């Protein structure tokens, strides 16, 4: 082994260590930001040392151009995005990562094909890279579309399971034949078929899954994009790709399971789809929603000793986080105890609401956990639900027929008064009827959450 | 690829998987999104594969162009991923600084 090869591989080891420390530090509040930086340094080392290693002068212009274009787009998107639109952006970035791995696999297949160096092993790992990368790409793009409302929510079609199972079967058959016919034109045709089928499968696989489950899907796709990178590492025999990709794959899977657990569901049931797209469950809801006026809400809030805010995705859509904080400050100045309760799966990604409230400068000590508030809910005078739905649906506790039965919820229905801010009378993102909104102590404030809260703030200022 | 090399790579893969499972077992929920975003940036490591594909494009012109496409895509993933994660985490820190 040449000395330069040894140096480069030592650098790759350092990169891998930095990635490990980076992920670990990202898991702790005090060190998270440095952790991200540490892992970015690891990436920089891996990229620079790859260029040092090789005779790059022939292609240096092309490489700089590619990094400049991609980096420029990434920089622009990351700077421009509103924090409310961030889950979609993460999904989109993830899709590009998957497509990049697919393209790396394809490039290597092309090179081996033209030089006549195909082997069974490389064919197998290239198949896996392209398969996982392709599914990640179209799956992520569809998730991005669903999260940003460009595509509809749950959209099941009859026979979707059959279709997905047969697609998977056909892909596997194509894969086996592609390996057997390695290096031939027929092999290349089969390889092309695998690319196309994997792209279709990503779409049809995510399609039947309801919008409410998109956080889980994005997390799983994140895990898959790591595995795609890891598979690409096997293709080119590169350790740092294998290690980094696999770390992402494994930690992403853990995160996915954590999220499923918070919703009291299994990964399998999420992937089978159906939930969030049917109107099953909660059939016995009676009564009607009682609308309230801003003045009513003002008088009740003015007299309250203890108020909790329960934000959901509706707050993100309405960009209401700043005015929520403003109302919180006014209430506090008025002598009211103000707390914010964030459900682990509120919003479109775990921790989505925390990021938004942090953006709006909500004091950290006012953020409380669901478990800490629930036992004392009866002493809460007013619970203000801002665009949250499933995470406060009492059917999760009482209705065994409900798809969300067993999911831990924030028990706002036990508070003395509930004000629910909602755009309209329709069902939420998940498509489940919410008994809370029909409750005896619940008052609805219909309309855009930001507008409603601004009016409340104005009332206090008068 | 030599069988011994294959075994070694598989060995590395399996150990990395176990390490990955252990790394994030206890993460506060408000860090889940930054963690997802940050680890998503790491999966952009495929950028190294893209660079190697370009470098070896003497063998195949078309493979070089595929590598170029992969490089652009992976760069979006890496740069965008790290920056958006930093922006998110910066908001958490701003608030802590205020508290002091």
């Amino acid at each position: 082994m040449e000395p330069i090869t040894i140096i480069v591989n030592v650098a790759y080891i350092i990169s891998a260590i930095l990635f490990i420390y980076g992920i670990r530090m990202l898991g702790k509040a005090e060190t998270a930001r440095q952790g991200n930086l540490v892992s970015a340094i690891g990436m920089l080392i891996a990229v620079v040392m790859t260029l040092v290693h090789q005779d790059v002068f022939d292609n240096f212009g092309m490489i700089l151009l590619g990094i400049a274009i991609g980096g420029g787009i990434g920089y622009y998107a990351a700077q421009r995005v509103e924090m409310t639109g961030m889950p979609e952006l993460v999904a989109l970035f993830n899709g590009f990562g998957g497509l990049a791995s697919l393209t790396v696999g394809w490039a290597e297949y092309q090179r081996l094909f033209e030089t006549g160096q195909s082997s069974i092993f490389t064919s197998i790992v290239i198949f896996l890279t392209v398969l996982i990368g392709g599914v990640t790409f179209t799956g992520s793009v569809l998730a991005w579309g669903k999260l940003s409302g460009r595509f509809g929510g749950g959209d099941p079609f009859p026979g979707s399971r059959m279709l997905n199972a047969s697609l998977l079967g056909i892909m596997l058959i194509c894969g086996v034949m592609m390996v057997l016919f390695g290096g031939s034109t027929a092999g290349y045709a089969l390889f092309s078929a695998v690319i196309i089928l994997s792209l279709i499968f990503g779409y049809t696989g995510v399609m039947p899954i309801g919008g409410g489950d998109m956080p889980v899907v994005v997390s799983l796709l994140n895990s898959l994009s790591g595995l795609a990178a890891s598979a690409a590492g096997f293709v080119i025999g590169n350790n740092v790709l294998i290690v980094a990709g696999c770390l992402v794959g494994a930690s992403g899977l853990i995160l996915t399971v954590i999220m499923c657990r918070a919703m009291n569901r299994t990964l399998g049931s999420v992937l089978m789809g159906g939930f969030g797209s049917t109107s099953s469950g909660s059939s016995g809801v009676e009564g009607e929603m009682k609308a309230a006026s801003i003045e009513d809400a003002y008088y009740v809030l003015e007299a309250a000793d203890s108020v909790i805010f329960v934000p959901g995705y509706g707050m993100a859509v309405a960009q209401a986080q700043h005015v929520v904080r403003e109302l919180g400050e006014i209430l506090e100045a008025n002598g009211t105890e103000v707390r914010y309760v964030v459900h682990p799966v509120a919003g479109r990604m775990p921790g989505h609401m925390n990021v938004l409230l942090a953006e709006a400068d909500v004091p950290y000590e006012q953020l409380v956990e669901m478990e800490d508030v629930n036992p004392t809910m009866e002493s809460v005078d007013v619970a203000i639900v801002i665009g949250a739905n499933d995470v406060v649906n009492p059917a999760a506790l009482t209705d065994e027929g409900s798809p969300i039965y067993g999911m831990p919820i924030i028990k706002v229905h036990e508070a003395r008064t509930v004000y629910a801010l909602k755009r309209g009378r329709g069902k939420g993102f998940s498509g489940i009827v919410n008994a809370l909104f029909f409750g005896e102590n619940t008052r609805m404030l219909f309309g855009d959450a930001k507008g409603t809260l601004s009016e409340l703030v104005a009332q206090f200022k008068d | 690829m030599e069988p011994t090399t294959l075994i070694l790579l598989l060995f590395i893969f399996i150990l990395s998987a176990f390490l990955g499972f252990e790394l994030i077992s206890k993460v506060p929920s408000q860090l889940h999104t930054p963690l997802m975003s940050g680890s998503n940036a790491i999966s952009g490591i495929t950028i190294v594969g893209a660079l190697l594909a370009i470098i070896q494009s003497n063998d195949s012109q078309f493979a070089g162009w595929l590598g170029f496409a992969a490089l652009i895509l992976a760069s979006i993933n890496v740069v965008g991923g790290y920056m958006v994660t930093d922006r998110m985490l910066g908001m958490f820190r701003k608030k802590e600084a205020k508290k002091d």
Side-chain angles (χ1 to χ4, degrees):
Chain A
M1 204 184 262
E2 292 172 49
I4 184 74
T5 312
I6 295 171
I7 292 170
V8 169
N9 278 289
V10 169
Y12 282 162
I13 294 173
I14 293 170
S15 282
I17 293 171
L18 292 177
F19 289 143
I20 292 165
Y21 268 99
I23 294 179
R24 196 180 166 139
M25 289 165 76
L26 267 171
K28 294 195 186 79
E30 319 82 66
T31 55
R33 199 173 187 190
Q34 295 95 305
N36 191 47
L37 193 63
V38 164
S39 115
I41 292 170
M43 186 66 73
L44 189 67
I45 292 176
V47 169
V48 170
M49 290 313 281
T50 306
L51 295 176
V52 167
H53 184 200
Q54 311 281 341
D55 188 15
V56 292
F57 295 105
D58 297 347
N59 310 96
F60 206 59
M62 197 184 196
I63 288 170
L64 282 184
L65 184 65
I67 292 178
I69 294 174
I73 295 172
Y75 177 85
Y76 181 76
Q79 287 299 313
R80 268 288 310 273
V81 67
E82 294 282 347
M83 276 297 125
T84 43
M86 177 207 51
E88 293 97 284
L89 188 68
V90 175
L92 203 56
F93 283 155
N94 190 49
F96 289 146
L99 188 59
S101 291
L102 180 150
T103 320
V104 167
W106 187 3
E108 186 67 4
Y109 190 83
Q110 182 73 31
R111 193 177 71 82
L112 296 175
F113 181 76
E114 286 185 24
T115 55
Q117 294 174 328
S118 302
S119 73
I120 291 181
F121 174 73
T122 49
S123 294
I124 294 174
V125 287
I126 286 172
F127 167 69
L128 289 174
T129 307
V130 168
L131 173 65
I132 304 172
V135 170
T136 305
F137 174 59
T138 43
S140 298
V141 170
L142 186 56
W144 163 76
K146 286 194 178 199
L147 285 170
S148 59
R150 282 177 178 80
F151 306 129
D155 208 356
F157 46 93
S160 62
R161 280 178 212 178
M162 272 302 292
L163 175 71
N164 287 329
S166 30
L167 269 177
L168 198 59
I170 296 169
M171 274 193 292
L172 286 175
I173 293 167
C174 284
V176 171
M177 300 205 346
M178 168 195 139
V179 172
L180 293 178
F181 291 107
S184 69
T185 317
Y188 202 98
L190 286 161
F191 172 70
S192 312
V194 169
I195 294 182
I196 293 165
L197 287 170
S198 71
L199 294 174
I200 296 174
F201 183 67
Y203 185 82
T204 58
V206 173
M207 194 65 181
I209 303 175
D213 280 334
M214 275 307 119
V216 177
V217 172
V218 174
S219 174
L220 186 66
L221 290 169
N222 176 44
S223 168
L224 279 182
S225 76
L227 286 181
S230 195
F234 277 99
V235 171
I236 58 173
N238 186 302
N239 286 334
V240 76
L241 258 77
I242 295 176
V243 172
C246 190
L247 284 173
V248 174
S251 61
L253 193 61
I254 292 285
L255 186 56
T256 311
V257 171
I258 291 174
M259 289 165 61
C260 285
R261 214 173 281 154
M263 302 184 349
N264 197 40
R265 311 195 51 216
T266 62
L267 189 53
S269 67
V270 170
L271 295 181
M272 283 300 165
F275 170 69
S277 47
T278 59
S279 53
S280 66
S282 300
S283 49
V285 175
E286 283 168 18
E288 57 179 317
M289 296 187 189
K290 290 175 281 294
S293 68
I294 303 286
E295 286 79 28
D296 293 341
Y298 164 69
Y299 287 122
V300 173
L301 281 173
E302 224 239 325
D305 287 327
S306 162
V307 170
I308 59 170
F309 287 98
V310 181
Y313 188 60
M315 182 182 82
V317 173
Q319 299 262 27
Q321 63 270 28
H322 295 280
V323 63
V324 168
R325 191 254 310 147
E326 205 183 338
L327 181 61
E329 279 177 358
I330 289 174
L331 287 171
E332 226 182 10
N334 196 32
T336 311
E337 183 200 14
V338 176
R339 287 173 297 171
Y340 298 81
V341 194
V342 177
H343 191 279
V345 295
R348 290 294 180 269
M349 269 197 179
H352 188 187
M353 293 299 123
N354 300 82
V355 173
L356 293 182
L357 292 176
E359 188 203 6
D361 280 329
V362 166
Y364 201 69
E365 53 272 22
Q366 289 185 0
L367 286 174
V368 286
E369 300 279 330
M370 165 174 76
E371 296 82 28
D372 299 332
V373 171
N374 272 344
T376 58
M377 192 58 85
E378 279 150 31
S379 65
V380 171
D381 290 319
V382 183
I384 303 177
V385 178
I386 308 157
N389 196 337
D390 293 333
V391 298
V392 291
N393 188 344
L397 303 171
T398 53
D399 180 4
E400 282 187 42
S402 172
I404 56 168
Y405 180 71
M407 179 174 95
I409 60 157
I410 303 170
K411 300 178 185 171
V412 291
H413 59 280
E414 290 178 2
R416 294 201 180 102
T417 308
V418 179
Y419 280 101
L421 276 64
K422 206 168 175 305
R423 270 167 298 175
R425 288 170 189 272
K427 286 175 242 173
F429 204 50
S430 71
I432 303 172
V433 175
N434 192 339
L436 173 75
F437 300 146
F438 300 88
E440 203 49 46
N441 54 347
T442 305
R443 297 289 177 276
M444 306 300 293
L445 294 169
F446 290 112
D448 174 69
K450 193 176 181 178
T452 309
L453 290 165
S454 303
E455 284 178 50
L456 267 174
V457 168
Q459 287 273 345
F460 271 98
K461 282 184 178 163
D462 282 344
Chain B
M1 196 173 287
E2 300 281 320
T4 46
T5 318
L6 172 60
I7 295 295
L8 192 66
L9 294 183
L10 272 177
F11 204 79
I12 292 168
F13 178 81
I14 302 287
L15 289 181
S16 308
F18 276 92
L19 187 56
F21 285 137
E22 293 302 316
L23 270 182
I24 69 139
S25 53
K26 296 178 207 87
V27 180
S29 67
Q30 81 258 25
L31 285 177
H32 283 174
T33 297
L35 179 66
M36 190 189 296
S37 178
S39 66
N40 175 41
I42 295 177
S43 68
I45 186 69
T46 201
I47 193 172
V48 169
L51 290 173
L52 293 174
I54 293 178
I55 288 160
Q56 294 169 340
S57 63
N58 299 339
D59 293 347
S60 157
Q61 191 93 41
F62 184 52
W65 285 111
L66 286 172
F68 183 63
L71 180 62
I72 292 177
L73 291 164
S75 302
I76 296 176
N77 191 188
V78 169
V79 175
Y82 280 122
M83 292 202 52
V84 83
T85 311
D86 190 62
R87 250 187 87 189
M88 274 185 245
L89 293 168
M91 285 167 187
F92 286 122
R93 217 170 60 167
K94 189 174 64 185
K95 180 187 52 209
E96 275 162 26
K98 229 178 208 179
K99 204 168 60 182
D100 293 336

